[in-house]
Amino acid sequence: MAEALIQILIVIFSVLLLGGTTWTLFWRNPRKLSSHRLAAINGISEASAVKRLSVRPFLFWLERFFVSGESLWFDQNFIYVFDGQKLAARYKFEQILTLEVTKIRINHARIWRIRFAGGASELERSSADKPEQDGASEYKFVPAASVFTPNFKEFLQILREKNRGAIKTESRFWETV
């Protein structure tokens, strides 16, 4: 009886692990910006101009306690923060206060913290119905850094050109490949 229960638990665990990994790899972390998200950004017509900065790791749905729920994208001028399909914020590279690594890892991926000055993005400042915010906005993310997608390396190059003092932690080999 106990052996059958253990076998059933092993099968359930395997299905959850395989399903979660497949879902994360193929559907949760798209390589290109969707048409809904692209329509939310004014002035950009090509999805290839905006690159993914953050990915969502899989830790049996517990990763939400360690990384921000928003996804980060960037181009040559701005960093875009999407909350689902909605553009939540847009920041210039000059607004970055700090970019540093945390001590937390998920599946051997280091979690980075990015803080923006002023707390109010350009979207929030341009809308008349939202008051000006004080303080800084902070997001925790796992960078989109791999041999096949060197987006984090490009992001660091742009940040070094525009706001070198914001980088508090240098990236390691796999993040700069």
Side-chain angles (χ1 to χ4, degrees), residues 3-5 7 14 37 48 68 75 82 85 89 106 113-114 116 131 143-144 158 165 169-171 173 175 177:
E3 292 176 5
L5 182 62
Q7 289 177 348
S14 300
R37 289 182 176 179
S48 62
S68 301
D75 63 5
F82 285 95
Q85 294 294 325
I106 297 178
R113 178 184 309 127
I114 188 168
F116 295 100
I158 295 170
T169 306
E170 286 299 321
S171 59
F173 176 75
E175 290 146 353
V177 171

Side-chain angles (χ1 to χ4, degrees), residues 63-135:
E63 67 275 357
R64 66 178 178 240
F65 297 114
F66 303 108
V67 294
S68 301
E70 298 85 7
S71 64
L72 303 173
W73 297 74
F74 73 99
D75 63 5
Q76 292 294 323
N77 302 317
F78 297 101
I79 299 167
Y80 304 100
V81 179
F82 285 95
D83 188 11
Q85 294 294 325
K86 180 183 154 215
L87 181 62
R90 180 177 69 183
Y91 297 99
K92 290 184 177 181
F93 281 90
E94 291 81 12
Q95 288 180 278
I96 297 176
L97 288 176
T98 59
L99 176 68
E100 59 190 357
V101 72
T102 64
K103 294 183 179 185
I104 303 169
R105 289 178 178 252
I106 297 178
N107 299 333
H108 301 288
R110 299 188 322 161
I111 296 177
W112 288 71
R113 178 184 309 127
I114 188 168
R115 295 185 68 218
F116 295 100
S121 71
E122 286 199 352
L123 293 175
E124 293 167 346
R125 276 185 264 151
S126 64
S127 67
D129 59 340
K130 290 188 177 180
E132 188 76 22
Q133 294 180 353
D134 294 332

